[in-house]
Amino acid sequence: MGTSRASAIAAAVLALAASASTQDRPLPAPEPFLKQVRAHLETDASRQFGYSYLETRRRMSIDGKGRRRDESVTVLESYPPLPGEDERWERVMERDGKRVSDVELRKADDERRKKAERIARTVSAQTPADRVSVERQRAADRRERAELVDDVFVVYDIAMLGREQLEGHDTIAFSLQPRRDAKPRTREGRMLKAFRGRAWVSESDFELARLDVEAVDTVAIGLGLLARVHKGTTVSFTRRKVNEEAWLPARAEYVFSARVLLLKRLREGGTFEFSNYRKFTVDTSTAIESPAK
């Protein structure tokens, strides 16, 4: 028997042994485990707040038979918002494989610099009353996030399924089935009632590593006037532990069917991929490495 073949067999045996060992261990008690998971739940926006990163967006139209047609790809650098901003700053680097011109990049950078200067002047001119108002808004935002987390546990009947390996991490898998009689407090919570899902949680860190959801009913967005997302829409989110310090979004994938403004039927799929995370400070360079081709 050749050395390479013997090594492969040995590796397979070790993998099977490790898998058996993982499955033989008793599962954690559901209630205290979920209590820890609840304490670790945060929105992706909150997790990404202190980081800059590279984002690759792929968008595909889908025909009536489910076949993917046209695709567009945008690569951008994303930076945390400045004080008082609601949205992150996105610096587009590539469109459909073509790098943005240096002229366009310089123009975007110049506009960003001017906006940062305006914000700095506004912040420096804030009165004590202004700062109190800002802190009140932050407190209100924190309460809204807490209410949404509460609604997750109000809306779903959560059942532990077992232990699974996910990208080298031991995770505990759960099913999420919406309760018909659930009475969530938030608008997002009411939307959750239209989705069922499956979640994988890091056993050691109590962090959500993956979430797959599927619409089991049509759900209205924007009071039903902007769009109605149809049954069968699927979304998948994946997080990875970055630099052994934080679980951050790695990929999101969606396929949906919707009716926009009650008239236009829209079928679309796409992905969002996140990479090259860096802790962001005011001194962080705006040069982020491009994704590997």
Side-chain angles (χ1 to χ4, degrees):
M1 179 183 297
T3 302
S4 60
R5 185 178 179 186
S7 299
I9 292 174
V13 171
L14 289 173
L16 288 172
S19 175
S21 174
T22 295
Q23 297 303 323
D24 286 345
R25 283 190 287 117
L27 293 172
E31 188 172 341
F33 188 86
L34 285 173
K35 185 177 181 180
Q36 289 283 356
V37 174
R38 184 174 186 156
H40 285 76
L41 283 180
E42 285 185 281
T43 64
D44 283 346
S46 297
R47 290 177 175 274
Q48 292 174 318
F49 182 80
Y51 292 86
S52 60
Y53 54 82
L54 197 73
E55 182 177 347
T56 302
R57 298 175 182 172
R58 290 181 172 84
R59 180 177 174 180
M60 296 150 283
S61 60
I62 299 174
D63 64 21
K65 297 182 179 180
R67 295 174 299 195
R68 299 191 176 191
R69 299 188 301 177
D70 301 331
E71 178 181 90
S72 65
V73 182
T74 303
V75 179
L76 56 88
E77 296 172 343
S78 180
Y79 296 89
L82 295 169
E85 284 188 311
D86 294 326
E87 304 291 336
R88 296 177 64 93
W89 179 45
E90 296 177 345
R91 185 173 187 252
V92 177
M93 303 299 295
E94 294 181 16
R95 296 187 183 94
D96 297 328
K98 296 180 180 179
R99 183 173 176 82
V100 171
S101 70
D102 290 340
V103 172
E104 187 174 342
L105 289 175
R106 283 195 297 270
K107 180 179 178 182
D109 292 346
D110 188 52
E111 291 175 351
R112 182 60 174 174
R113 178 183 55 79
K114 291 177 181 177
K115 185 173 184 179
E117 290 171 351
R118 290 196 301 269
I119 290 175
R121 289 193 295 269
T122 300
V123 171
S124 65
Q126 281 183 342
T127 66
D130 292 331
R131 288 189 283 273
V132 169
S133 178
V134 169
E135 184 51 44
R136 283 177 179 167
Q137 183 58 53
R138 289 174 179 168
D141 292 342
R142 289 193 293 270
R143 286 194 298 271
E144 288 181 8
R145 289 195 295 268
E147 288 177 355
L148 177 56
V149 169
D150 289 343
D151 275 351
V152 171
F153 292 86
V154 168
V155 169
Y156 288 114
D157 180 16
I158 304 175
M160 184 179 287
L161 301 177
R163 182 180 289 110
E164 296 183 23
Q165 277 255 327
L166 194 65
E167 296 190 353
H169 292 273
D170 282 345
T171 68
I172 304 298
F174 293 88
S175 66
L176 308 172
Q177 292 293 337
R179 297 186 175 103
R180 290 183 178 274
D181 59 349
K183 293 181 173 57
R185 292 190 294 172
T186 66
R187 179 177 61 87
E188 292 86 356
R190 291 188 287 274
M191 291 175 60
L192 289 177
K193 294 180 67 175
F195 294 87
R196 67 184 175 192
R198 182 169 175 143
W200 291 259
V201 179
S202 166
E203 187 172 6
S204 59
D205 295 338
F206 306 104
E207 295 279 10
L208 182 65
R210 177 171 173 171
L211 175 65
D212 293 348
V213 296
E214 177 184 5
V216 293
D217 200 356
T218 296
V219 57
I221 298 176
L223 302 178
L225 299 177
L226 296 182
R228 295 178 67 84
V229 177
H230 297 151
K231 178 180 179 180
T233 290
T234 60
V235 187
S236 179
F237 304 92
T238 303
R239 289 175 176 165
R240 293 193 180 99
K241 195 171 186 179
V242 176
N243 298 330
E244 293 301 314
E245 63 182 12
W247 286 82
L248 298 171
R251 179 182 173 88
E253 183 172 0
Y254 67 91
V255 177
F256 76 83
S257 170
R259 191 171 295 280
V260 181
L261 297 175
L262 304 181
L263 297 173
K264 183 180 178 181
R265 182 69 176 264
L266 180 65
R267 295 182 178 88
E268 185 176 298
T271 61
F272 300 86
E273 296 183 67
F274 307 92
S275 60
N276 301 92
Y277 278 103
R278 297 172 61 190
K279 280 286 185 66
F280 185 84
T281 69
V282 292
D283 296 322
T284 301
S285 169
T286 56
I288 301 180
E289 293 179 5
S290 298
K293 298 294 185 182

